[in-house]
Amino acid sequence: MTSSATVAPADFHLNGLTIKPGERATTRLVISKLPSGTVIDVPVNVYRSSEPGPTVLLMAGMHGDEVNGVETIRRLIRRELLRPLRGSIIAIPLLNIYGFLNFSREVPDGKDVNRSFPGNPRGSLASRVAHRFMREIMPLVDYGIDFHTGGAARSNAPQVRCLLGEDAETDALAAAFGAPFTLHSGLRPGSLREAAMREGRRIIVYETGESLRFDEAGIELALAGTFRVLHHLGMAPPAAPVARPGIICPRHTWLRAKFAGLFRSDVQLGDYLEKGQVFGTITDPYGQMSVKLESMVSGYVVGLNHMPVVNQGDALLHIGRTDAAFSRVDLSPPFEEKPSRATEPEPEDDDLM
């Protein structure tokens, strides 16, 4: 059997273009049109080495209000840092143009693209975006980093999320990235990660900061982690090592508000909480009530709600736990950080008439 190192890399066929080894190209995937008739298209940047190797996807802007990943890939492109020693890199700074224009997580129909994979060419707008991606991009990809940011008013400590302990290649990608925190996170139905895994591709998620705000430290960690992954795959020279070993969180739990009112946090992202430790207070707006909040578990603060007005049951702190083994308990929907609308079944042809 011929080794992969001696096989000449094949041409890429993408969006009607043929991109040969050693070439660079930018193409624009036409997704749809605005009601005004304005065409919405997604720029896709391809960087190919003449040497054979894997193809890595770097993608951001799945949710249009998550700007840290957009800025990360923008810097990589602008600084001309994507020069693979072997293999190819596909860089998509912004997938959800609709959400970006409207400062929104979703597309105009209110659906989440990252709950719509593998998509449907005759389904909802989110489903059509996912389908176009799966048809044009996914067949070319071996590995990927999907860049995200905390939703709404919640901020995330820099972290990688992936399914740990079940796939050696995924574990190796997460270890190579070297984020301050790595969370064991399940494959959610309709997500890009799940669709990729079904097709034998490995994608990890990097999260940092808060939507609609730049997190400079998290962006710099994203750049460094990306180059460590590329080096791990033999596609880049050695990158800067991590400053300190990352923390593996086999489980993670949300601490939620037991009362409605005004929330004040006494902790910051990255802090370690002991079980029973007070992490904040909830007061009423009239000065008649104040309740101290105690943590039910021990762990690191990997997510923090900055919204002062909270309702009963709102997520306040996301705790990464190191005191328990890997479990699927934390992978169920009640622990989802950014709840989305329930996925609706795509209409049959008869329903489209």
Side-chain angles (χ1 to χ4, degrees):
M1 183 176 180
T2 305
S3 67
S4 59
T6 62
V7 176
D11 293 347
F12 273 11
H13 300 286
L14 173 61
N15 198 31
L17 293 180
T18 298
I19 308 171
K20 297 183 177 298
E23 292 184 343
R24 301 181 182 185
T26 298
T27 186
R28 306 180 77 93
L29 293 180
V30 176
I31 300 297
S32 187
K33 292 183 179 180
L34 294 175
S36 63
T38 303
V39 174
I40 294 295
D41 52 22
V42 175
V44 179
N45 304 274
V46 181
Y47 306 84
R48 304 204 64 197
S49 170
S50 57
E51 297 297 321
T55 298
V56 172
L57 169 70
L58 304 177
M59 188 175 75
M62 178 90 74
H63 302 123
D65 60 351
E66 299 182 359
V67 296
N68 287 307
V70 177
E71 175 64 10
T72 297
I73 300 182
R74 186 201 70 81
R75 291 185 190 183
L76 291 169
I77 294 171
R78 181 66 178 174
R79 297 173 183 176
E80 298 187 355
L81 298 175
L82 299 178
R83 301 172 179 267
L85 300 178
R86 68 184 190 107
S88 304
I89 297 172
I90 299 175
I92 304 176
L94 180 57
L95 181 67
N96 183 357
I97 304 291
Y98 295 96
F100 184 75
L101 293 174
N102 292 288
F103 313 107
S104 169
R105 171 181 172 84
E106 295 91 4
V107 292
D109 61 9
K111 288 183 167 47
D112 187 337
V113 177
N114 206 28
R115 298 295 182 269
S116 302
F117 286 90
N120 185 326
R122 290 179 288 190
S124 67
L125 182 55
S127 187
R128 291 171 188 241
V129 172
H131 176 267
R132 189 69 192 275
F133 179 92
M134 293 297 292
R135 188 181 72 181
E136 296 282 355
I137 306 297
M138 188 61 79
L140 304 174
V141 173
D142 297 303
Y143 306 99
I145 307 173
D146 185 18
F147 296 91
H148 286 262
T149 295
R154 292 187 290 273
S155 182
N156 285 329
Q159 60 194 254
V160 160
R161 297 183 181 183
C162 60
L163 191 63
L164 290 171
E166 298 191 19
D167 175 72
E169 288 188 286
T170 300
D171 291 350
L173 289 178
F177 193 100
F181 296 97
T182 299
L183 275 60
H184 177 47
S185 181
L187 300 173
R188 299 195 179 281
S191 68
L192 172 63
R193 280 200 299 137
E194 183 203 41
M197 186 62 79
R198 287 181 182 274
E199 298 201 2
R201 291 79 161 81
R202 274 72 178 179
I203 292 180
I204 61 174
V205 168
Y206 175 75
E207 295 251 6
T208 191
E210 183 181 350
S211 60
L212 298 177
R213 288 177 174 81
F214 281 145
D215 171 27
E216 189 62 34
I219 291 171
E220 288 299 321
L221 288 171
L223 294 169
T226 298
F227 282 114
R228 285 192 290 267
V229 168
L230 293 175
H231 173 64
H232 165 73
L233 296 172
M235 300 173 65
V242 294
R244 61 175 61 91
I247 297 168
I248 307 297
C249 299
R251 296 183 64 184
H252 44 101
T253 304
W254 276 104
L255 302 183
R256 298 182 179 273
K258 294 183 178 181
F259 307 94
L262 301 175
F263 170 59
R264 291 175 176 81
S265 173
D266 295 337
V267 297
Q268 297 180 346
L269 289 174
D271 285 354
Y272 185 80
L273 272 180
E274 296 284 358
K275 184 177 180 180
Q277 180 179 338
V278 173
F279 65 85
T281 58
I282 290 181
T283 64
D284 70 345
Y286 309 109
Q288 298 178 359
M289 179 270 288
S290 179
V291 178
K292 292 183 178 181
L293 305 173
E294 295 183 359
S295 178
M296 300 177 295
V297 297
S298 297
Y300 292 90
V301 180
V302 297
L304 177 60
N305 188 352
H306 294 294
M307 175 62 72
V309 182
V310 297
N311 289 294
Q312 190 174 28
D314 281 357
L316 301 179
L317 298 186
H318 194 192
I319 304 299
R321 300 175 59 183
T322 59
D323 61 345
F326 292 112
S327 170
R328 290 192 173 272
V329 172
D330 287 324
L331 307 184
S332 57
F335 293 95
E336 182 174 5
E337 177 201 352
K338 294 173 285 191
S340 58
R341 299 186 181 189
T343 302
E344 298 177 6
E346 295 297 343
E348 300 295 335
D349 290 353
D350 291 343
D351 296 328
L352 294 171
M353 303 303 290

